[in-house]
């Protein structure tokens, strides 16, 4: 789901939603009389310095007695318009203190009193809707623009008073036949940033509804209100009579990240409803609770195929090698219709490195359909099963493109002469996946493969193919890679030229002068800002101290992004003081806009380059708290901790980055910021996981751990930012 696209129409939908609920007061009041006006933010809930809502100010007058409130409510129906307006204004200022009596007034015999009571009760809802409409019009949930943050600040200023309207709006959206998930995400983001404990219980009540794909966002919002309260509220719903509620509770318990979630999840693993058992087991695996091991073993014999499928995947994720025979048995007993179970079995057997499964996988390779043969091909590729080459070659002849792609991946990993011949033959006869074939050839590590890549990089007009050949050659045949990189600088595509420029930073010692000359020429003549930015990065990687003076001279001529990178490169070259002004500017900006996550990330990186590692860690950790799925922030946090000598904490952050999807293993391997953790036992395992990302299915389990030295996963560069992680 692309939230930004889904939110573009949300501002218009807010007015329609208001009309459905009878909130026509958002647009206008009754036609015969202007709507009573209320303050945007009642004075007893002004923003505090921390951005939350303050209680009544010190020395403020105490709230009126009930009799005074009732007298004001009676004045809502006064004959004089000014008297009605004054009573409305004063009741709006009282806020929630007057709500119990205003709710009673909804049944008042005077229609004017009923109307104004309803108007006052909906004041917070109107303000919340107005803020959400402003946020939705921006098309983002976390943007950092001043107008955007101002809208969020208004919500934060309401504090606890915003909780009820936000949950009410969210419930109404979820009850729609086709809910707008972008609008729902926006509301959950607002609740998460509010962090109000009073929101935990109302949010937990939503577990009774169809949450679609909102479980993770709901878990974030619940946790922001207090981890202990969230666990208690969701755990209580795990005992609900409705199976859907228990299933939702199991999923959210796994996402809360609380060790205490294991106890209710263990109970749910024995639930009579198979969907609940499945969700509970998946959640136990996610939490890495020890209780997941006996639960997975027990559910391998579950009578429900879906639960058994989840147990098979869990056994693979948990590394239960003794479960491999039972998994093979389940796969052989599965009917052709049970594709989910077969795919899960293949994935688990691959993760468990069960070489005894090879005969079974060869049988599955010839199955009809696509999903099971694709899974079998991938597993046979990981096993480097040479006996699979004839079957994989037959897959190349089938018309389904997905089967051809799987066969190419597997043949590239197997790497024997017969596989090389099959892949090069597919490439030369112009199969529909020629770039995939070239990427497979790049894995063979033989002189013939290197020569083939060099020849194709010079002959092809396809920038994607040049990109694939360039990446492989720079790391496996540096001298040939340098030649291809220099020739790629003359290509038309700016993305490819930028990639080539970055890779010049890894030029061999014998080609350093040629690389420097090419990079200097780019800085002088290249019109693309993207390519000049890459050239500046490459100079830092090369350690080109002799060009520090030229970089200093360019500072005033370059746009902001290139100027910032020049300062970082100068820091790498031993002149870090230039970053001080940029750091001061960003710090001042964040004092005015503390929720600008983009600026916080830039500041964290600048502090890292400047050598202020503790401060860099503080800002990068704060960025991760606001954007828990930001893999680049997690990687940079690992670098800051490694530079500070905090090995264990650095590895934890690096593991978080890998789990979130960071896969630029080549950058990680060459990054001096990680030198402090390379000797740690967990580093090689994490590097292997980076090389394997991009494949896999449920649980995002990707590929087996413990890949051999030099193993890697390849991805086509379509849409991927070059040099991710810099």
């Amino acid at each position: 789901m692309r939230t930004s696209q889904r939110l573009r129409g949300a501002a218009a939908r807010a007015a329609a939603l208001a009309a459905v609920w009878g909130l026509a007061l958002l647009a206008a009041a009754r036609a015969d009389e202007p709507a009573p006006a209320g303050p945007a933010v009642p004075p007893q809930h002004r923003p505090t310095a921390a951005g939350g809502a303050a209680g009544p100010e010190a020395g403020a007058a105490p709230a009126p007695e009930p009799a005074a409130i009732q007298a004001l409510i009676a004045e809502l129906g006064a004959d004089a318009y000014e008297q009605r307006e004054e009573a409305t204004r004063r009741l709006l200022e009282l806020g929630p203190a007057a709500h119990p009596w205003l709710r009673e007034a909804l049944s008042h015999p005077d229609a004017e009193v009923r109307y104004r009571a309803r108007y006052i009760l909906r004041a917070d809802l109107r303000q919340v809707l107005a803020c959400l409409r402003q946020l939705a019009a921006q098309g983002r949930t976390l943007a950092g623009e001043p107008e955007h943050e101002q809208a969020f600040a208004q919500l934060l200023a309401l504090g606890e008073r915003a909780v009820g309207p936000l949950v009410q709006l969210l419930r109404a959206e979820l009850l729609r036949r086709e809910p707008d998930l972008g609008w729902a995400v926006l509301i959950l983001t607002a609740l998460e940033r509010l962090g109000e404990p009073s929101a935990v219980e109302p949010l937990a009540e939503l577990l009774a509804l169809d949450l679609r794909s909102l479980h993770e966002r709901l878990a974030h919002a619940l946790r922001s209100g207090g981890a202990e309260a969230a666990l208690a509220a969701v755990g209580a719903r795990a005992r609900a009579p409705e199976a859907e509620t228990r299933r939702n509770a199991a999923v959210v318990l796994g996402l809360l990240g609380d060790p205490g979630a294991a106890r209710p999840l263990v109970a749910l693993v024995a639930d009579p409803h198979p969907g609940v058992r499945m969700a509970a087991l998946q959640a136990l695996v996610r939490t890495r609770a020890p209780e997941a091991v006996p639960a997975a073993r027990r559910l391998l014999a579950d009578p429900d195929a879906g639960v058994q499928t989840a147990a098979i995947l869990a056994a693979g994720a948990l590394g239960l090698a003794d479960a491999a025979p039972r998994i093979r048995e389940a796969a052989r007993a599965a009917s052709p219709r049970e594709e989910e179970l077969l795919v899960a079995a293949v994935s688990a057997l691959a993760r468990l490195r069960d070489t005894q499964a090879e005969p079974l996988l060869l049988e599955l390779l010839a199955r009809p359909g696509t999903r099971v043969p694709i899974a079998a091909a991938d597993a046979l590729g990981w096993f480097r099963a040479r006996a699979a080459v004839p079957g994989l070659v037959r897959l190349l002849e089938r018309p389904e493109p997905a089967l051809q792609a799987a066969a190419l991946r597997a043949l590239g990993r197997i790497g024997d002469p017969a596989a090389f011949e099959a892949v090069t033959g597919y490439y030369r006869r112009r199969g529909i996946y020629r770039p995939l074939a070239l990427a497979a050839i790049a894995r063979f590590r033989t002189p013939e493969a290197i020569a083939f890549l060099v020849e194709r990089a010079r002959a092809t007009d396809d920038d994607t193919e040049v990109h694939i050949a360039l990446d492989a050659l720079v790391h496996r045949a540096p001298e040939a890679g340098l030649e291809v990189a220099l020739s790629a600088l003359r290509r038309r595509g700016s993305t490819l030229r930028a990639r080539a420029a970055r890779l010049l930073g890894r030029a061999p010692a014998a080609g350093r002068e040629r690389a420097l000359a090419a990079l200097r020429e780019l800085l002088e003549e290249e019109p693309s800002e993207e390519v000049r930015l890459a050239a500046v990065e490459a100079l830092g990687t090369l350690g080109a101290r002799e060009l520090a003076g030229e970089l200093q001279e360019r500072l005033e001529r370059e746009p902001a992004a290139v100027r910032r990178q020049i300062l970082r490169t100068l820091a790498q070259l031993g002149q870090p003081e230039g970053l001080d002004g940029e750091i001061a500017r960003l710090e001042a900006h964040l004092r005015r806009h503390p929720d600008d996550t983009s600026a916080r990330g830039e500041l964290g990186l600048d502090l890292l380059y400047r050598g202020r590692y503790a401060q860099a860690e503080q800002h990068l950790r704060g960025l991760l708290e606001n954007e828990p799925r930001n893999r680049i922030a997690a990687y940079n946090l690992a670098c800051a901790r490694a530079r500070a000598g905090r090995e264990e904490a650095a590895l934890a952050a690096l593991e978080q980055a890998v789990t979130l999807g960071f896969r630029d293993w080549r950058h990680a391997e060459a990054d001096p910021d990680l030198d402090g953790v390379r000797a740690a036992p967990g580093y090689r395992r994490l590097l292997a996981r980076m090389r394997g990302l991009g494949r896999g299915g449920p649980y995002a389990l990707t590929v087996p751990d413990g890949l051999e030295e030099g193993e890697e996963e390849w991805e086509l560069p379509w849409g991927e930012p070059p040099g991710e992680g810099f």
Side-chain angles (χ1 to χ4, degrees), residues 376-463:
D378 283 336
L380 289 164
W382 289 120
F383 289 159
R384 291 187 169 84
R386 297 191 174 189
V389 170
L392 293 168
V393 171
R394 285 193 291 272
L395 287 188
L396 288 178
E397 303 299 329
R398 287 182 57 174
E400 297 94 332
L403 288 178
Q404 297 178 25
L408 290 170
R409 285 196 300 266
L411 289 166
R413 292 191 186 103
I414 291 171
D416 72 353
F420 181 76
E421 183 180 349
V423 176
T424 54
Y426 178 93
Y427 179 90
R428 293 190 186 282
R429 67 175 182 268
R430 306 188 71 83
I432 61 173
Y433 278 140
R434 292 187 80 202
L436 281 174
L438 196 66
I441 293 167
R443 301 178 62 89
F444 278 87
R445 306 172 185 274
T446 61
E448 294 80 7
I450 298 297
F452 191 96
L453 291 171
V454 171
E455 185 266 329
R456 293 317 306 159
R458 290 172 177 167
T460 184
D461 293 328
D462 189 325
D463 280 1

Side-chain angles (χ1 to χ4, degrees), residues 322-570:
D322 59 322
R326 295 183 69 178
I327 295 172
R328 294 198 303 271
E329 181 182 345
R332 292 190 181 281
S335 70
R337 295 183 179 180
E338 293 178 319
E339 280 194 345
E340 291 288 345
L341 189 148
L342 286 168
V343 171
V346 172
S347 172
L349 292 169
R351 289 190 64 83
L352 296 173
R353 293 287 185 177
D354 180 29
T355 54
Q356 295 184 47
E358 190 172 313
L360 169 65
L361 296 173
L362 290 172
E363 294 176 22
L364 296 178
L365 197 63
R367 282 280 184 113
T370 58
R371 294 190 63 207
V372 176
I374 286 171
D378 283 336
L380 289 164
W382 289 120
F383 289 159
R384 291 187 169 84
R386 297 191 174 189
V389 170
L392 293 168
V393 171
R394 285 193 291 272
L395 287 188
L396 288 178
E397 303 299 329
R398 287 182 57 174
E400 297 94 332
L403 288 178
Q404 297 178 25
L408 290 170
R409 285 196 300 266
L411 289 166
R413 292 191 186 103
I414 291 171
D416 72 353
F420 181 76
E421 183 180 349
V423 176
T424 54
Y426 178 93
Y427 179 90
R428 293 190 186 282
R429 67 175 182 268
R430 306 188 71 83
I432 61 173
Y433 278 140
R434 292 187 80 202
L436 281 174
L438 196 66
I441 293 167
R443 301 178 62 89
F444 278 87
R445 306 172 185 274
T446 61
E448 294 80 7
I450 298 297
F452 191 96
L453 291 171
V454 171
E455 185 266 329
R456 293 317 306 159
R458 290 172 177 167
T460 184
D461 293 328
D462 189 325
D463 280 1
T464 298
E465 293 188 19
V466 177
H467 191 139
I468 292 168
L470 177 60
D471 261 6
L473 291 169
V474 162
H475 296 92
R476 295 177 186 166
E479 293 183 6
L482 175 62
E483 298 299 330
V484 172
L486 291 170
S487 65
L489 293 177
R490 296 189 290 273
R491 293 268 178 169
R492 294 181 61 182
S494 60
T495 299
L496 176 61
R497 296 203 312 279
R499 183 60 172 164
R502 280 192 177 89
L503 290 176
L504 285 177
R506 301 177 186 177
R512 186 175 186 276
E513 292 304 319
R514 294 178 67 195
L516 283 177
L519 292 170
R520 291 179 68 183
E521 184 178 346
L522 284 178
L523 288 177
E524 291 297 331
E525 301 179 5
E526 173 59 49
S528 168
E529 179 180 328
E530 177 187 8
V531 180
R532 293 202 309 280
L533 179 64
V536 174
E537 291 181 16
L539 289 173
T541 308
L542 274 175
R545 292 178 181 269
E546 61 268 39
L547 298 185
E550 293 184 28
L551 290 174
Q552 285 279 9
E553 293 175 3
R554 299 196 66 85
L555 277 172
E556 300 304 320
R557 289 182 277 161
E558 294 288 355
V562 180
R563 188 163 58 247
R564 182 181 295 118
Q565 185 56 48
I566 289 176
L567 291 172
R568 291 170 178 171
T569 295
L570 287 171

